[in-house]
């Protein structure tokens, strides 16, 4: 049995199982690290003897270098209480091998393994909600690089008639600052989910997201893009984004007609990806070719 | 002996050898495909019996999928005469196994193998000259994705006081349209190499390049960036670009102090990378573990 944790800014999902059809899940609201970790461990306790590995897909920034003494440490995250928290401490208390990656990479792996990324060798996963993030599979493997990508913060042109200054505390009008859920709320004065489909907010949202996505696609050349997150549940937005992306790229890069697909795993993409991380960790420790008969 | 071809918009380099210290090179101006290919083959002819593989690092867009019948075909390139040219036809006439990648990926591989990218597992190579391009090594391997990246065409914010509309035929004011050599010449009315160091052109150039580089770095998280191309030979530009990049990212992503390095191989990075491609092709066909004693 594998265990997974999807750590988000608003809530955590913790689960045990082996995949989408064999999964027990619990939702835990994100509070300070101590009570949150206690709730996670309490829920996992009855399964602990059977758990062979844990995967964690977490908000960041995160230290992912396993050779670093700071492995698993959360950096200057927007959730101030969580800065300096170490995932290694939870792993130690649970006492099982633990794999860690970003929430976006976790979701990318989840979609690759069980969702709309299946079969892709070069996959991009993007999420637009409270924040904007991207995870990628390159040459069949999770792209981590040094530390990890922070794709939500790419810079994009400004729509000339848009006076909104952006809401990213670090960059102001980066993509996340202009097109995340809080940016929609800040620009239009009410939450994204209260903006009706005919509201001009959505045309502008497609305008910005298409330019951010263009930058990701031009840099990574994914064969498929899976998009998730609360904002993208807006009816018609994915279609508008697809059309705007093609207009922006102007035929310079040939795109397959079904490049963009919605997330198949929805809110559970990161949790399932965490199970995938745990599975990969076990496979790396115990390669099939070295297993006994 | 390996052969390499670096195919550029102005000139080709063709060479034979095994690396920077064992390399015979010939420069051939880029004309129409027929006379250019004839000149390449004429120069290679005396070495042909000894050549075990050819690598080509070419301008594009290019079909790189070896399983495609269009492998090696040049797409809608700015060099109109070359559209539809097939590298496979040259490979057939030479009669040796041939590896192909973009000019930027070739240069990335050259710098990884013999230049300022040595030792990096996640490397970004960027070039700013007649065009802007980027190549990447991710998880130790060339990043190709579907077709290949076209990083030079990422979109960036506009410097508010800059009225220049951009010169990219496809996108207008993408990064290449705003910051390539032709963009400098178009904006300021004289070639980049005639703009003195104190000219405001260079501050603006660092402004735009830093934002393009920020988008690449946020998406790929390279541990090292090697930069080449004629425009970046401008004294002080790399230093200004480095400072501007750090200002733009505002500490959100921690960057090593020596993230950015100049190209060590200069004009030959792509040619040496082409030799590297040829070497990789041979290694894949004849893995070391399967070689005889």
């Amino acid at each position: 049995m594998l265990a997974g944790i999807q750590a988000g800014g608003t809530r955590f999902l913790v689960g045990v199982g082996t995949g989408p059809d064999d999964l027990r899940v619990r939702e835990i609201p994100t509070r300070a690290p101590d009570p949150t970790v206690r709730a996670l461990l309490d829920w996992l306790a009855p399964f602990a003897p059977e758990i062979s590995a844990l995967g964690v897909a977490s908000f960041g920034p995160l230290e992912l270098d396993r050779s670093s003494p700071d492995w698993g440490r959360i950096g200057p995250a927007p959730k101030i209480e969580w800065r300096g928290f170490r995932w290694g401490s939870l792993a130690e208390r649970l006492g099982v091998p633990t794999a860690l990656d970003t929430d976006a990479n976790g979701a990318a792996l989840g979609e690759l393994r069980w969702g709309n990324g299946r079969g892709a060798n070069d996959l991009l996963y993007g999420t637009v909600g409270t924040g904007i993030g991207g995870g990628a599979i390159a040459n069949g493997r999770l792209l981590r690089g040094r530390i990890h990508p922070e794709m939500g913060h790419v810079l994009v042109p400004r729509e000339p008639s848009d006076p909104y200054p952006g809401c990213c505390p670090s960059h102001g009008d980066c993509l996340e600052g202009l097109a995340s859920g809080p940016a929609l709320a800040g620009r239009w004065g009410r939450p994204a989910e209260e903006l009706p489909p005919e509201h001009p907010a959505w045309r502008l949202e497609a305008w910005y997201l298409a330019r951010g996505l263009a930058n990701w696609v031009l840099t990574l050349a994914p064969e498929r893009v899976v998009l998730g997150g609360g904002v993208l549940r807006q009816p018609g937005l994915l279609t508008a984004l697809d059309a705007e992306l093609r207009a922006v790229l102007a035929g310079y890069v040939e795109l397959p007609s079904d490049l963009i697909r919605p997330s198949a795993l929805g809110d559970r993409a990161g949790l399932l990806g965490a199970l995938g991380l745990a599975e990969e960790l076990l496979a790396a420790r115990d390669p099939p070719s070295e297993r006994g008969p």
Side-chain angles (χ1 to χ4, degrees), chain A:
Chain A
M1 181 190 279
L2 303 168
I5 294 173
Q6 168 180 334
T10 315
R11 59 188 196 133
F12 278 54
L13 290 182
V14 55
V16 293
T18 56
D21 300 328
D22 165 30
L23 186 62
R24 272 172 283 191
V25 185
R26 174 67 164 272
E27 186 177 323
I28 291 170
T30 306
R31 289 174 288 167
D34 274 354
T36 312
V37 166
R38 200 172 317 122
L40 293 169
L41 289 172
D42 284 353
W43 190 82
L44 285 169
F47 310 106
E50 292 169 73
I51 295 171
S52 47
L54 169 70
V56 178
S58 171
F59 62 82
L62 277 176
E63 177 57 73
L64 294 181
D65 180 356
R66 284 214 89 111
S67 67
S68 163
D70 279 336
W71 176 79
R73 188 171 178 280
I74 293 181
K79 301 291 278 183
I80 292 173
E81 292 171 296
W82 284 81
R83 294 182 183 179
F85 173 76
R86 291 164 185 275
W87 284 107
S89 66
L90 183 144
E92 262 173 42
R93 286 167 68 178
L94 198 63
V96 297
T98 298
L100 175 67
D101 215 314
T102 63
D103 40 10
N105 264 359
L109 183 62
E111 292 287 344
L112 178 78
R113 185 82 174 69
W114 292 291
N116 274 340
R118 267 176 292 187
N121 200 47
D122 294 277
L123 175 70
L124 173 66
Y125 173 86
T127 176
V128 184
T130 312
I132 298 184
I137 311 287
N139 292 323
R141 289 173 56 199
L142 280 168
L143 179 73
R144 283 184 177 140
R146 185 180 180 280
I147 309 184
H148 51 74
E150 283 288 351
M151 299 187 203
H153 295 265
V154 293
L155 305 173
V156 290
R158 295 299 307 258
E159 202 283 331
S161 68
D162 175 25
Y164 183 63
C167 66
C168 173
S170 298
H171 312 113
D173 62 355
C174 66
L175 181 65
E176 180 168 300
L178 289 168
S180 60
L184 280 163
R187 182 186 286 112
W188 303 105
R190 46 183 160 154
E193 55 272 30
E194 292 178 15
L195 294 164
E198 67 280 8
H199 196 285
W202 298 113
R203 192 202 56 81
L204 187 63
E205 183 68 5
W207 196 95
Y208 280 123
L209 290 179
R211 281 154 180 84
L213 185 51
N215 285 348
W216 297 346
V217 165
L218 288 161
T219 305
L220 291 167
E223 64 183 291
R224 202 176 305 159
V225 176
V226 174
L227 295 177
V231 169
L232 289 169
R233 277 190 216 113
Q234 175 65 23
L237 182 56
L238 270 190
T239 308
L241 171 54
D242 184 84
E244 185 72 13
L245 173 70
R246 288 168 201 276
V248 164
L249 293 178
Y252 193 80
V253 178
E254 192 195 314
L255 303 176
S257 59
D258 61 345
L259 175 74
I260 298 179
R261 301 185 195 185
S263 163
L265 307 176
D267 291 345
R268 294 187 172 186
L271 176 63
L272 286 160
L275 293 188
L277 291 170
E279 194 180 70
E280 284 192 351
L281 182 67
L282 288 182
R285 290 186 164 210
D286 181 19
S289 60
E290 293 173 24
R291 276 182 202 154

